[in-house]
Amino acid sequence: NDRGTRQQMLMFGEAVKMLRYVDCHKKPDMCRDARIQRLPTLSFNGVHEGPFQNIEDIFTRASKRDSRVFKNL
């Protein structure tokens, strides 16, 4: 995977285990079908967003898409 994706995954720490991850280099058809244009890209309820600069930005965007984001923290 690319450098940006590795950095993004490191930001999640142990929580990265809870993410569903697709390597677009290994599954290009899946990413093309999902219309992924940039890496890393996160999907919140089917809406693709990214790339992100910091973990706070990710949590802010995720909480706008799904109010349950902070319930498990």
Side-chain angles (χ1 to χ4, degrees):
N1 55 21
D2 68 287
R3 181 176 170 237
T5 300
R6 286 191 306 270
Q7 289 176 332
Q8 197 76 79
M9 292 175 83
L10 286 171
M11 284 187 207
F12 281 97
E14 287 294 312
V16 77
K17 294 175 184 175
M18 298 187 315
L19 299 177
R20 191 177 78 194
Y21 169 73
V22 175
D23 186 332
C24 288
H25 298 287
K26 292 181 180 177
K27 297 185 178 185
D29 293 340
M30 180 181 274
C31 294
R32 186 185 63 246
D33 292 348
R35 298 186 177 162
I36 302 298
Q37 297 177 2
R38 298 181 290 171
L39 298 176
T41 295
L42 297 176
S43 180
F44 301 102
N45 293 330
V47 177
H48 303 304
E49 297 187 26
F52 295 94
Q53 300 300 315
N54 58 56
I55 197 75
E56 291 83 10
D57 190 25
I58 293 169
F59 280 121
T60 298
R61 290 177 187 238
S63 66
K64 288 179 183 177
R65 298 275 183 220
D66 188 341
S67 61
R68 297 171 296 167
V69 168
F70 292 107
K71 289 188 177 179
N72 293 323
L73 298 178

